[in-house]
Amino acid sequence: MAVSATMTLMLVFGHISDTHLDGGERALARTRRVMAYLRGLPLDAILITGDIADHGAPHEYERARAELTADVPVLMLPGNYDERSAYRKVMLGHNGVAPINEARWIDDVLFALCDSSIPGRDEGLLSAETLAWLRGVLSGTDAPVFVCLHHPPVPLHNALIDQIRLAESEKLAALIEECPQVVAVLSGHAHTAAVSTFAGRPLLVAPGVVSTLRLPWTTAKELTWANTIDFDDPPAVAFHVLDDGGRLTTHYRVVPTS
Ligand SMILES: [Fe+2]
């Protein structure tokens, strides 16, 4: 897809997060609206950074398997609302409770899909097993890599969500600092379209499909878990564009009402 005489797009992909499927009709309707929008676009892939399900029940993954489909690869990883054994069984067709880490190639770009969930907890952590796996993946290629995980590794300035971000993020930072081929870190969990930096790379947070995070300066009320979630804001998506010069550009778009 040539956009000028001098620049070619290497990859364009959609990034959404936190579908919380079977957490009610609202979650389902919004997921369908977002997926229908993305399916109509000439993307190379769709990335969903966790909280696929709302209680981690097998029937929720059956729903996810039916709804989160496209003609292009749909890459997923688990979040704190997911449950490894049900996710594995329904989404991947095998048993087990080990972290669900996957390396997936889209053309010449590698997606390192990391499991940052801790069973039974809301905060995130990359286990020693996952960090060792990621080190192996990164040492095996000089190709561009996106490191993807559910929990943002930095505070985003909402005290509630910041308490349940990725713990021990310095271990991930140390690994990425050794690996110049890492283009960016992509996450979800916070239900807010946010941009920061981490280990000298862009950190790009996908907005939540199911709801949006209120921020301390967008409401006069003191934020609590009861009021920090906005269910009225429309769902949105991120589009990440990697060009053949290695530059990443991200656009965020509200999903139009169909
Ligand atoms: Fe989450």
Side-chain angles (χ1 to χ4, degrees):
M1 196 188 307
V3 291
S4 74
T6 56
M7 187 184 293
T8 304
L9 305 187
M10 184 186 283
L11 201 70
V12 183
F13 60 100
H15 177 193
I16 62 174
S17 203
D18 298 81
T19 50
H20 289 263
L21 278 169
D22 272 12
E25 282 304 311
R26 230 182 122 272
L28 179 59
R30 287 168 71 110
T31 298
R32 285 180 170 166
R33 175 175 163 188
V34 168
M35 289 303 296
Y37 174 58
L38 293 178
R39 277 188 210 107
L41 304 175
L43 303 171
D44 294 304
I46 297 168
L47 170 68
I48 311 177
T49 43
D51 284 357
I52 306 298
D54 200 48
H55 306 87
H59 76 271
E60 298 179 336
Y61 295 108
E62 301 285 357
R63 174 75 83 183
R65 216 169 57 168
E67 300 292 339
L68 304 177
T69 60
D71 290 338
V72 296
V74 179
L75 311 180
M76 284 180 235
L77 54 84
N80 54 303
Y81 278 77
D82 290 302
E83 199 278 319
R84 286 178 185 164
S85 62
Y87 186 119
R88 266 187 192 282
K89 196 171 185 99
V90 179
M91 307 301 283
L92 304 172
H94 53 83
N95 295 316
V97 293
I100 299 170
N101 301 312
E102 281 190 282
R104 298 277 302 269
W105 288 93
I106 303 295
D107 297 338
D108 296 324
V109 178
L110 185 60
F111 288 74
L113 307 172
C114 305
D115 185 344
S116 61
S117 70
I118 310 170
R121 304 289 294 266
D122 284 330
E123 69 270 35
L125 183 74
L126 295 177
S127 66
E129 176 184 341
T130 295
L131 284 166
W133 170 83
L134 181 59
R135 182 177 294 279
V137 166
L138 292 173
S139 67
T141 184
D142 292 326
V145 180
F146 288 100
V147 173
C148 311
L149 75 169
H150 182 63
H151 295 80
V154 302
L156 298 174
H157 306 288
N158 171 302
L160 298 162
I161 203 77
D162 288 347
Q163 287 167 14
I164 55 170
R165 69 182 188 272
L166 187 77
E168 299 182 18
S169 58
E170 69 281 359
K171 293 180 180 173
L172 178 61
L175 183 48
I176 290 174
E177 279 161 7
E178 293 171 16
C179 299
Q181 76 274 35
V182 173
V183 176
V185 177
L186 308 179
S187 81
H189 186 50
H191 298 213
T192 181
V195 175
S196 188
T197 56
F198 179 70
R201 291 338 121 82
L203 167 69
L204 302 161
V205 183
V209 169
V210 74
S211 62
T212 301
L213 186 73
R214 289 200 174 96
L215 301 166
W217 53 91
T218 64
T219 173
K221 295 179 182 157
E222 185 177 349
L223 290 176
T224 66
W225 282 118
N227 70 15
T228 200
I229 304 297
D230 183 329
F231 292 100
D232 296 326
D233 263 13
V237 303
F239 295 117
H240 302 301
V241 184
L242 185 64
D243 68 35
D244 64 358
R247 171 173 287 129
L248 181 67
T249 304
T250 295
H251 299 266
Y252 288 99
R253 278 289 180 283
V254 166
V255 175
T257 313
S258 52

